[in-house]
Amino acid sequence: MTAQTLTAPAVPAPEYAAEAALLVREIEQYLTARVRTTAHPLVTKTTAELIAEALGTPNPAAGPAPVLAPPARALRLLPDWVLAFPLLRQLHGAGQQISVAEHLELTALVIERYGWHRGTLRSTSGRRCILGVQAVLFRLGYGDEHTAIAAGHRLQAVLTARGITEPYHRWNDATGRTRTEVLALVRTAATHARQEVRS
């Protein structure tokens, strides 16, 4: 029988310490924003909602639907398989159904937040290509496999309309491709997807 050696966990590099602090702050802000003050711990409606319901008036506290926010920038440092952990999914998409347009808009926001990459799904620093970003969104629960596939079809349709036949993930990796071109493609596809729903 061989002895097992335990090693201490690696200490994060100083540049990652700031990222970790940012992640903790973003998680705290997320949780604080979702705290609901109710009249009693067993009551699921807020006091304002109960008063509005009793008086038969519209709830003044009800605002617009929550805006989708891209995942925290610090998450780009984690291995992709960690993103599917229930806690991270709960703090982000958690299986929330989103439209194809929203998926594409989030794709552009993640590229801006994480950085863009070509050649592989992600760089060692966590920058992502289009497919890499789609994988992040899927693992965190923003939409499902059908949403991601439909978004890919929308990206491909924009390229096809431009006379480009190569798959969008190969187009992303082409020599000379720029982040600006990638963001323009993703945002054009999002606009087309939104217009298609309206018509």
Side-chain angles (χ1 to χ4, degrees), residues 47-97:
T47 304
E49 289 170 336
L50 289 171
I51 292 170
E53 185 178 302
L55 297 175
T57 57
N59 181 5
V67 176
L68 284 171
R73 186 170 186 263
L75 291 185
R76 81 187 199 283
L77 304 174
L78 299 176
D80 284 355
W81 58 269
V82 173
L83 301 179
F85 280 12
L87 174 62
L88 288 176
R89 285 175 62 88
Q90 186 61 36
L91 291 173
H92 292 85
Q96 178 180 359
Q97 287 306 309

Side-chain angles (χ1 to χ4, degrees), residues 6 14 36 79-80 86 95 97 114:
L6 297 175
R36 293 167 53 93
D80 284 355
Q97 287 306 309
Y114 286 23

Side-chain angles (χ1 to χ4, degrees), residues 8 17 27 32 41 48 53 59 65 68 83 85 95 109 111 113 132 138 140 145 148 151 154 160 162-163 196:
I27 289 172
T32 302
E53 185 178 302
N59 181 5
L68 284 171
L83 301 179
F85 280 12
L109 290 173
I111 289 172
R113 182 172 275 196
F138 174 75
L140 287 172
E145 186 178 353
R154 179 54 59 194
T160 300
R162 296 176 182 175
E196 185 177 277

Side-chain angles (χ1 to χ4, degrees), residues 10-65:
V11 177
E15 63 269 19
Y16 295 146
E19 295 290 342
L22 175 64
L23 174 59
V24 170
R25 189 166 54 252
E26 287 182 350
I27 289 172
E28 288 172 348
Q29 289 171 349
Y30 182 92
L31 292 173
T32 302
R34 277 148 184 80
V35 171
R36 293 167 53 93
T37 305
T38 64
H40 186 276
L42 297 177
V43 176
T44 58
K45 294 184 179 181
T46 65
T47 304
E49 289 170 336
L50 289 171
I51 292 170
E53 185 178 302
L55 297 175
T57 57
N59 181 5

